[in-house]
Structure formats: structure tokens, C-alpha cells
Amino acid sequence: MLRWVIIFLVIAIVAAIFGFGGISEGAADIAKIIFYIFIVLVVLGFLGLLTIFKK
């Protein structure tokens, strides 16, 4: 999932360099959304591990 964030960030940077503002904004927004989803899943995973191994 983190790979997709990096891919969309690279697309956003390249599009911004060539002057495609709409495409770069869209790619950056998608990268942000995927990154936030990744962070939420990591936190839920850590909480799950804490509850499983809490004895």
C-alpha cells in the first residue's frame, strides 16, 4: 500500500513539473488518501497485536 503512495506522489511531482496542475492535484489527493488509510491500518494492526499478546 505504501508503494501506491510513492507512485502517486511521483506522478504528482512529474505532472507539476510539466505544468499539469489538475492531474498533479488529483494524484496528490489520491496519495494522501491512501497514506491515511495505510496509517489507520497500521494503528489498528498494532492495537490488535496488543490485545492478542496481552496476558
Side-chain angles (χ1 to χ4, degrees):
M1 184 173 270
L2 207 52
R3 181 183 304 184
W4 285 103
V5 172
I6 294 169
I7 290 170
F8 278 108
L9 281 176
V10 169
I11 291 171
I13 291 170
V14 170
I17 289 172
F18 289 117
F20 299 110
I23 295 172
S24 66
E25 288 179 22
D29 289 339
I30 292 171
K32 276 194 250 181
I33 291 168
I34 294 173
F35 180 72
Y36 291 140
I37 292 171
F38 173 75
I39 293 296
V40 168
L41 290 176
V42 167
V43 168
L44 290 176
F46 283 139
L47 290 176
L49 285 174
L50 288 176
T51 58
I52 290 173
F53 291 113
K54 185 178 180 182
K55 289 185 177 183

